[in-house]
Amino acid sequence: MTGLTQNIITAGTVAAALITLFGIIKSVIKYICSLNEKSRIQQERNAVQDKDISHLKEENRLICYGLSAALDGLEQLGANHSVPTAKTKLEKYLNEQAHK
């Protein structure tokens, strides 16, 4: 009877070890899949943000050019208080941005 008891205990130990190993492997695979999903979601967010940033840059460029034209028109009409200074600063800013 001791041999049979020992075999049952050994079989139970092996089964418990296999179940534990299976659980560990399953957890690792689930963790890796979770990391991949998070990475995919972050890449999608980055793509959307890049598109939005591009749109905002284009909008900012148009606003700056419009402001430059307005300041130029004011200067031509004789508004000389702070218009020339603002126009110079805007032109400097646009020139710096163009060389970045």
Side-chain angles (χ1 to χ4, degrees), residues 4-94:
L4 180 61
T5 306
Q6 189 62 31
N7 286 342
I8 293 173
I9 292 172
T10 303
T13 303
V14 169
L18 289 174
I19 290 171
T20 302
L21 185 61
F22 175 75
I24 291 171
I25 291 171
K26 182 179 175 183
S27 296
V28 169
I29 290 172
K30 187 175 179 181
Y31 176 73
I32 291 171
C33 289
S34 169
L35 289 178
N36 288 338
E37 180 67 16
K38 286 179 183 178
S39 175
R40 185 189 62 76
I41 290 171
Q42 187 63 40
Q43 288 174 349
E44 288 175 1
R45 285 182 187 161
N46 288 345
V48 169
Q49 288 175 352
D50 289 346
K51 184 178 176 184
D52 289 344
I53 288 170
S54 176
H55 176 72
L56 289 173
K57 283 182 176 181
E58 180 63 27
E59 190 174 279
N60 188 39
R61 187 178 302 114
L62 292 173
I63 290 170
C64 286
Y65 289 139
L67 180 58
S68 177
L71 288 172
D72 188 45
L74 285 171
E75 190 174 39
Q76 289 176 9
L77 290 174
N80 291 323
H81 180 61
S82 61
V83 171
T85 305
K87 184 179 175 197
T88 302
K89 287 183 179 182
L90 180 62
E91 287 173 353
K92 182 180 177 185
Y93 169 77
L94 292 174

